[in-house]
Structures are given as C-alpha cells and as structure tokens.
Amino acid sequence: MKFRSIKGTKDILPEESGLWQHVEAVVRSVMHRAGYREIRTPVFEQTALFARSIGELTDIVTKEMYTFPDRSGESLTLKPEGTASVLRAYIQHNLGEQAPLIKLSYCGPMFRQERPQAGRLRQFHQFGAEALGSQSPQLDVEMMLLPLHVYGELGVKPLALNINSVGCEKCRPAYKDKLIVALTKVFDRLSPESQARVQQNPMRVLDSKNEGDQEMTQAAPLIKDHLCTECRTHFEEVQSLLHATGTPFEINGRLVRGLDYYTKTAFEITSSALGSQDALAGGGRYDLLVEELGGKATPGVGFAAGLERLMIVLEKTGAPAGTMRGPDLFIAAIDDPSRRWAFSKTQELRKRGFAVETDFLQRSLKAQMREANRQQARFVMVIGETELQAGAGRLKHMVGGEERTVPLGELESALV
Ligand code: AMP
C-alpha cells in the first residue's frame, strides 16, 4: 500500500522550507517592531466557539469545518481561522487586565474543507494579528499596514488594498431591510446560492462571484452610503490616515468578507499574480465579538494573511535570493582515522555555532566534493593521513575558489 498526503494538504519540502523560514522571520520581525507579541493557541477548539464567532450561517461554519466528536462525545473543530481562538484565550486568561490595549500576533495552520484548487487548500497557514481594547481608526490602518510591510520587505508587488465599512449594529439593520427589498425585486434572477442568502445574510449577495448576481445587484444600495454618523466619521478617518501614510487604496462598497463578526472597517489585499483566488490577506474591526464570546465589551480589529498564496506570488514574481543556506564547512575525509577526526571536529565546530557537514557514506573524494557543492558549502577541507600528520589542511573557498593552509587547531577562526 502506498500512502499519500490527504487531498488539499501539502508537504513543505526542504527545497521550499528555506523560503518559508525566511518569510516567517520577516513576519516575526515586522510584528516585533510594531509591538505585537506572539500567541500560540491549540489546533482544535470547541465547535461552538467558531459557530458563535464566525457566524452560524457562513460558508465556513455550514460547509467547511473539520468537526468531530472526541471520545467523550464533545464536538471539536480544527480551527478554520485564528481570531476566535485568540479571543477565547484573551478572555480566558484575562489578558485585558494586563493593559488597556493588547496587541497579539500568530502564525500557524488552519483547516477548511473547501474544494481544493490553486491557492485553496484544506490545511493552509496564516499569519495574523489582533489589537484588543481600542476603537481608534489608527489601529484599523495599522492592520492594513502590517501585512503590507511584510509584503514590502519581501519585494511583493503589485498589490491592491480594497476597503469598505460594513456599519455597526446601529446602522446595519435598517440598511439590511433596504437591501432585502432591493434583492427581493430581482430574486428570480439570482443564483440559487444568493437566493438562499437574501433573508439570512443579504450582504453576502453583493460580493457573489457569480456574474449574473453582480449584474442583478448593480443598482442595489451599498452600506457605505447608509452609515450612521459614527461609522461614517470612522471610515473617513481610516481613509485620511491611509492618505497620510501614503498607502494607495480603493473603496469597494461590495466587500463584506465571509465572516459575520465585522463592524465598521473591512479590508482585503489582493495580488494580480494570483488567479481566481486572489486574496492575500483580509481583516477588519469586530467591536462586538469579545462580548459575544462572553468577555467584557472590548473593541478589536485584526487581519489574517495566507502564507501559501504569498509563496505562490513570491515564486511567480521571483523569490527573495539567499533563502538556501548551506553549511559553513564540509570536511571531506579520505580514510578511517581522518573520518573519525572529521566526525569529532564536526561535532565540536557545531557546538561553537558553525554549520558543519562531513561524509557519512565513505564516499570517494570526488563524490564528497560533489556533495559539498550540492549542499552549497561555503568552505571545504580535505583531511587525510598527510593533513593529520602535518596538523594543517587546505581550506578551499567554494565560491571564490581560493585556497590556503590552515592549522587544524585554528579552523574555527578561519571560518569567521
Ligand atoms: P479569511 O480568513 O478567509 O479572511 O482568509 C484570509 C487569508 O487566508 C486569505 O486571503 C488567503 O490568503 C488565506 N486563505 C483562506 N482560505 C484559504 C485556503 N483554503 N487555502 C489557502 N489559503 C487560504
């Protein structure tokens, strides 16, 4: 029997993991500079947490979650996104009592049983951040700038930032009524998927990818034109801060995103280097969610960004150079005594902080040199009886090709 990875999951092979580590290091650095501290939450949670936060009627909750009973019969779900778990932890550990504003970041695997296609997996990875405790539109903009900083440092472009306001509990109900009236007029001509949403989740009809739906809803009212004063002022300030930070953006009145918890700002960052699944990152404000999950009323805002899609963009537009790092030194050994010496020296130099490799297959010198090249070693030293007796060997720089004699006791300083 031949085992295969599960459909929609992906092995990250050694050729790729260098790029992943590089991207993760950039993410960590950007988060650190902006004061977001990492939180790591479990891979699974109680199912009700996601149903309550993401929304009972969303695609994620109705169709896509990996839900299973554990042996005690409790319903558990592999996390389909990060925000619900982070907020659960924030509430459970009373993080809000440590400071009035808590800034958290995360990076890890998420699970959704979607139809696999390019850029859409069943296990994928996201990095993201949440800021809890402030209503300031400055944090809405910070959430847009965090992933944009990561993309900027990786040289990813071109990108488009789309923003919208989805209103709040004060202005949204009256708007939804107006929208339902407009959608009811064209009901017969909507796709069955959108028809099902008209009563329950009418705003999702507006961001339907179906062309017929888009045509039918062209004249439908948009929430951004029906905001209450508070939401309108907030939205204007977000735009003004984006201008002030020199961040290009577009207002997309149809952007609602697939999660129910957003209030006021919603945004998405897309890349034209991706196909139909072109969203790299998305986020928004969720001022009611902490309370909805049982915590003290606390405003919040966050974003999540897909790592696999970022890798696709990086591969298409030229991945950053220097992500593959070979060993500092490869010690090629000719006979048994030198192999023993090479093994001990390898271990010693590794303890001193160097990446060192040697041969474990008793290969010919030629084959060892080929291996050192394949591993992109910076230096190679060949050790045999002569070198051991002389207490010195020839250290060869593999890129420049220059060689010099180095006493074996001084190998460490020669590598610096
Ligand atoms: P969402 O949590 O749906 O707002 O997604 C945020 C980001 O995660 C998206 O913009 C994608 O980059 C990524 N993402 C979401 N779902 C998937 C998936 N099934 N496969 C790969 N990446 C995904």
Side-chain angles (χ1 to χ4, degrees):
M1 185 207 279
K2 242 191 191 166
F3 293 110
R4 314 268 315 164
S5 56
I6 307 289
K7 194 167 139 196
T9 67
K10 211 174 145 292
D11 297 309
I12 298 164
L13 298 172
E15 296 94 88
E16 304 158 276
S17 58
L19 181 58
W20 277 77
Q21 287 172 0
H22 175 65
V23 168
E24 284 159 7
V26 170
V27 168
R28 237 174 272 132
S29 164
V30 167
M31 293 297 184
H32 166 72
R33 277 176 275 161
Y36 288 78
R37 292 170 66 209
E38 190 188 10
I39 179 162
R40 300 188 189 197
T41 60
V43 155
F44 54 92
E45 299 269 1
Q46 286 176 305
T47 302
L49 171 68
F50 301 115
R52 176 66 75 87
S53 57
I54 300 169
E56 302 272 5
L57 301 166
T58 56
D59 285 351
I60 295 181
V61 172
T62 55
K63 298 193 279 209
E64 296 168 4
M65 294 203 305
Y66 278 101
T67 297
F68 55 95
D70 74 357
R71 281 170 198 270
S72 73
E74 184 174 20
S75 181
L76 305 178
T77 293
L78 300 183
K79 63 183 169 188
E81 58 103 49
T83 303
S85 307
V86 171
L87 265 53
R88 194 261 314 132
Y90 170 87
I91 297 165
Q92 181 177 338
H93 304 288
N94 298 316
L95 299 186
E97 283 170 18
Q98 294 177 1
L101 174 63
I102 296 289
K103 303 210 286 187
L104 302 166
S105 72
Y106 62 85
C107 185
M110 306 293 163
F111 307 84
R112 293 182 199 174
Q113 196 158 350
E114 296 192 82
R115 195 167 51 78
Q117 61 182 87
R120 203 154 80 182
L121 291 153
R122 292 184 165 177
Q123 173 172 343
F124 57 99
H125 297 77
Q126 287 184 335
F127 67 93
E130 320 288 350
L132 295 154
S134 166
Q135 293 188 333
S136 168
Q138 291 185 355
L139 284 166
D140 303 37
V141 174
E142 184 154 293
M143 288 303 154
M144 302 171 196
L145 296 180
L146 284 169
L148 287 173
H149 280 170
V150 170
Y151 302 146
E153 292 195 10
L154 291 168
V156 175
K157 56 186 169 212
L159 294 166
L161 168 63
N162 279 280
I163 66 167
N164 193 20
S165 174
V166 294
C168 67
E169 77 283 11
K170 280 179 255 147
C171 46
R172 202 155 39 193
Y175 161 74
K176 267 193 182 168
D177 289 345
K178 284 198 189 84
L179 180 60
I180 290 173
V181 170
L183 294 177
T184 309
K185 284 188 193 148
V186 294
F187 188 84
D188 295 340
R189 280 169 284 168
L190 293 176
S191 67
E193 236 188 352
S194 286
Q195 286 183 341
R197 286 183 170 141
V198 168
Q199 288 302 325
Q200 312 269 28
N201 207 349
M203 286 168 75
R204 284 303 311 280
V205 178
L206 296 178
D207 77 352
S208 160
K209 292 248 169 14
N210 181 299
E211 277 179 24
D213 288 346
Q214 284 175 10
E215 216 182 297
M216 283 306 112
T217 56
Q218 246 169 23
L222 298 176
I223 177 87
K224 71 178 176 61
D225 304 318
H226 296 267
L227 297 173
C228 59
T229 313
E230 187 187 318
C231 286
R232 195 172 343 106
T233 314
H234 189 97
F235 193 37
E236 282 164 6
E237 184 59 13
V238 165
Q239 294 170 51
S240 142
L241 289 165
L242 283 170
H243 284 303
T245 52
T247 316
F249 67 93
E250 288 210 16
I251 296 175
N252 175 358
R254 288 170 177 266
L255 178 74
V256 269
R257 304 190 22 79
L259 304 92
D260 275 357
Y261 50 59
Y262 290 115
T263 49
K264 295 185 175 143
T265 312
F267 69 91
E268 208 156 72
I269 300 169
T270 56
S271 161
S272 52
L274 292 167
S276 61
Q277 303 297 317
D278 65 352
L280 266 179
R285 180 162 279 286
Y286 46 79
D287 288 343
L288 307 175
L289 189 53
V290 177
E291 197 176 8
E292 179 71 25
L293 293 178
K296 256 199 346 232
T298 309
V301 58
F303 82 90
L307 279 165
E308 281 80 1
R309 289 193 196 167
L310 175 54
M311 300 301 164
I312 296 175
V313 176
L314 287 172
E315 273 155 26
K316 284 205 178 146
T317 56
T323 48
M324 156 101 190
R325 260 190 74 209
D328 299 305
L329 172 68
F330 188 100
I331 307 179
I334 292 175
D335 52 16
D336 275 343
S338 45
R339 265 192 283 276
R340 207 167 297 121
W341 182 89
F343 181 74
S344 309
K345 196 69 180 175
T346 296
Q347 305 302 328
E348 179 195 323
L349 289 171
R350 285 177 182 170
K351 264 196 235 161
R352 302 255 175 214
F354 296 98
V356 182
E357 260 297 3
T358 187
D359 176 58
F360 293 96
L361 299 171
Q362 308 202 357
R363 280 176 282 196
S364 69
L365 183 58
K366 204 167 144 206
Q368 291 188 53
M369 295 305 281
R370 248 200 324 265
E371 180 61 22
N373 252 322
R374 192 188 71 80
Q375 293 188 12
Q376 298 184 18
R378 195 154 58 91
F379 288 103
V380 170
M381 181 174 262
V382 179
I383 297 290
E385 197 182 342
T386 325
E387 285 76 15
L388 288 186
Q389 262 171 18
R394 303 280 289 164
L395 187 68
K396 181 174 178 187
H397 192 257
M398 295 297 275
V399 180
E402 61 271 21
E403 278 187 46
R404 65 194 163 109
T405 303
V406 173
L408 298 183
E410 291 169 24
L411 198 45
E412 183 182 336
S413 44
L415 294 176
V416 182

